[in-house]
Amino acid sequence: MSANLLQPEKIEIVDFKIIKGQINSPFDFEEEKVQGHNFNVNFELGFNIPDKLIKADFSVNVETKSEKEDGEEAIGAFSFVYVFYVDNIEELTKLEKDNTVTINPSLGNALAAITYSTSRGILMTRFQGTALSNFILPVINPNKLIE
């Protein structure tokens, strides 16, 4: 069977933590002046192949873009850690000579999709009632996270 046809048999979230969750909003911030948001995300994987575990670190930073140029913007910074159990991890990863791990694209896609969509939902609820309430992470192709 070709490595490209292999699929994860079982992926399970075995641990999850929000390790950072911060929203800074100036006292006099005017939400009606928000015209948009700047944001960036970071996604990194770590591997424990003998225990069939993969750790996904995902962070998001968001800043409002307002009409007034001299005012302070509202900022949100969140970091999440997910630990996944992958039943057939040996078939979907390869330890290279330089100790890096090559991951099967279907596994990378699944991990990125689960991490991103779960974090997206959490952020929607955390931002409610704040200066960032109108921000939502856009729907993306999860492969962009693992490039």
Side-chain angles (χ1 to χ4, degrees):
M1 180 182 267
S2 168
N4 289 336
L5 298 177
L6 287 174
Q7 298 290 318
E9 290 176 12
K10 176 182 176 184
I11 297 177
E12 180 180 332
I13 297 175
V14 295
D15 199 3
F16 165 77
K17 288 187 174 64
I18 299 174
I19 58 172
K20 178 181 182 182
Q22 184 174 338
I23 299 171
N24 295 336
S25 182
F27 179 74
D28 59 350
F29 188 78
E30 300 175 66
E31 288 182 52
E32 62 278 357
K33 300 216 180 208
V34 174
Q35 295 180 322
H37 299 85
N38 292 321
F39 73 96
N40 62 55
V41 298
N42 186 48
F43 178 71
E44 295 179 13
L45 296 175
F47 300 88
N48 178 339
I49 295 172
D51 291 337
K52 301 183 177 204
L53 299 175
I54 299 176
K55 178 182 164 198
D57 291 300
F58 183 73
S59 61
V60 179
N61 293 300
V62 181
E63 183 175 354
T64 56
K65 292 189 301 186
S66 299
E67 287 175 14
K68 60 181 188 176
E69 297 175 15
D70 59 343
E72 190 178 352
E73 296 291 346
I75 298 170
F78 281 77
S79 295
F80 305 93
V81 174
Y82 297 82
V83 178
F84 295 95
Y85 171 84
V86 180
D87 194 44
N88 60 332
I89 195 171
E90 317 80 20
E91 299 171 8
L92 300 168
T93 58
K94 180 182 175 192
L95 183 60
E96 303 292 344
K97 290 179 183 170
D98 64 356
N99 277 340
T100 60
V101 175
T102 301
I103 185 170
N104 181 288
S106 64
L107 176 58
N109 181 284
L111 295 172
I114 294 166
T115 299
Y116 189 86
S117 62
T118 303
S119 300
R120 185 175 186 260
I122 292 167
L123 289 172
M124 277 180 45
T125 61
R126 294 292 171 117
F127 289 159
Q128 287 179 0
T130 74
L132 297 170
S133 62
N134 291 326
F135 176 78
I136 182 169
L137 279 174
V139 175
I140 64 163
N141 179 341
N143 290 324
K144 291 193 178 283
L145 293 175
I146 55 178
E147 291 176 343

